[in-house]
Amino acid sequence: MARVAIVTGGTRGIGEAISVGLKDAGYKVAAVYAGNDERARDFTERTGIAAYKWDVSQFDGCRDGVARVEADLGPVEVLVNNAGITRDSVMHRMTFEQWNEVIQTNLTSCFNMCRTVIDGMRERNFGRIVNIGSINGQAGQYGQVNYAAAKSGIHGFTKALAQEGAAKGITVNAIAPGYIDTDMVRAVPANVLEKIVARIPVGRLGRADEIARGVLFLVGDDAGFVTGSTLSINGGQHMY
Ligand code: CAA
């Protein structure tokens, strides 16, 4: 039986590549998105993957959304917490809203989603959770106190939940992408991005499918001994 996978932020960017990679590998995939209906419709038309709309920063929305996915596809066995936003600003100009939106969407969402699926995974003695962190959660980044805190939180969250899940066949791992060629990175001012790319030993931005490849490794049935780890995929920009 094909395993059911949820990918948050799954219709665009890195999430899109993960959704497609999982589908191509035989998983039944639900791609979650928050707001961009047009992109989601286009994504479903191109890929044949069902898109579900809910706000992962809201606990009740996650509970109701997962129930819809489970009614349509079956119990969720694979969860990829990928949804993320940036609200870049230096601290002395950052508003509480910029701080809070990033923490809620990038970090609280991991609690909301994991808390919702964990009971079923424990009952079935199987689960694969992959949280998408960031190089900027490992190394920090000028203008990203909010994002770096949320992503760094994801790395701690991963290691704690990995310890809890281990005896129940649930693995929990993180991937820390570097700068990947997506809308999010293209929004960085060109002069800033140029300097960042100059510091990547591989000499280019990463591709979203290069992150999906890592996810596929971590969610495999044969990856049961890999848990609590962080896979850095960053072109050598930060070796950690
Ligand atoms: N280190 C040191 N100084 C820096 C700096 C850096 N990395 N970046 C900017 N500065 C300095 C500038 O040189 C400038 O100094 P002067 O005024 O003395 O010239 C000062 O900070 C202000 O710079 P800006 O004109 O850019 O100021 P701003 O307020 O308009 O913007 C910023 C500041 C929001 C931080 C902007 O520079 C920015 O967006 N930077 C990119 C941040 C970034 O890398 N975000 C990653 C997004 S992608 C992502 O997050 C995905 C992932 O996981 C990797």
Side-chain angles (χ1 to χ4, degrees), residues 99 102-103 106 134 136-141 144-155:
W99 163 262
V102 169
I103 298 296
N106 297 11
S134 169
N136 294 348
Q138 297 171 311
Q141 168 61 40
Q144 284 201 313
V145 166
N146 49 3
Y147 186 89
K151 292 296 188 178
S152 188
I154 284 177
H155 292 299

Side-chain angles (χ1 to χ4, degrees), residues 7 68-69 160-161 199 206 236:
V7 183
R68 276 195 284 144
V69 171
L161 187 56
R199 291 200 304 268

Side-chain angles (χ1 to χ4, degrees), residues 86 88 93 134 136 141-144 147 178-179 184 188-189 196:
T86 53
D88 293 353
R93 275 194 282 274
S134 169
N136 294 348
Q141 168 61 40
Y142 190 104
Q144 284 201 313
Y147 186 89
Y179 281 72
M184 182 183 276
V188 173
I196 291 170

Side-chain angles (χ1 to χ4, degrees), residues 14 85-90 92-93 132-137 141-144 147-148 151 176-180 182-189 191-193 195-196 199 237:
I14 290 175
I85 57 169
T86 53
R87 296 288 182 265
D88 293 353
S89 168
V90 287
H92 54 275
R93 275 194 282 274
I132 304 299
S134 169
I135 186 176
N136 294 348
Q141 168 61 40
Y142 190 104
Q144 284 201 313
Y147 186 89
K151 292 296 188 178
Y179 281 72
I180 308 300
T182 60
D183 291 346
M184 182 183 276
V185 166
R186 276 179 233 119
V188 173
N191 60 326
V192 177
L193 190 57
K195 286 189 202 137
I196 291 170
R199 291 200 304 268
Q237 188 182 345

Side-chain angles (χ1 to χ4, degrees), residues 88-212:
D88 293 353
S89 168
V90 287
M91 179 62 141
H92 54 275
R93 275 194 282 274
M94 188 177 289
T95 62
F96 175 75
E97 285 70 29
Q98 287 173 317
W99 163 262
N100 200 41
E101 274 183 70
V102 169
I103 298 296
Q104 298 300 325
T105 302
N106 297 11
L107 180 58
T108 303
S109 59
C110 291
F111 170 80
N112 294 341
M113 289 300 298
C114 287
R115 182 65 192 85
T116 301
V117 302
I118 202 79
D119 293 340
M121 288 181 174
R122 288 171 59 82
E123 277 159 25
R124 294 184 298 274
N125 277 300
F126 180 86
R128 295 283 181 266
I129 297 174
V130 179
N131 299 317
I132 304 299
S134 169
I135 186 176
N136 294 348
Q138 297 171 311
Q141 168 61 40
Y142 190 104
Q144 284 201 313
V145 166
N146 49 3
Y147 186 89
K151 292 296 188 178
S152 188
I154 284 177
H155 292 299
F157 178 108
T158 299
K159 292 177 212 175
L161 187 56
Q163 292 181 29
E164 294 185 13
K168 290 282 183 185
I170 303 166
T171 67
V172 189
N173 292 286
I175 291 184
Y179 281 72
I180 308 300
D181 191 5
T182 60
D183 291 346
M184 182 183 276
V185 166
R186 276 179 233 119
V188 173
N191 60 326
V192 177
L193 190 57
E194 214 170 277
K195 286 189 202 137
I196 291 170
V197 175
R199 291 200 304 268
I200 303 175
V202 168
R204 61 171 175 85
L205 294 175
R207 294 190 316 270
D209 64 278
E210 292 174 310
I211 305 302

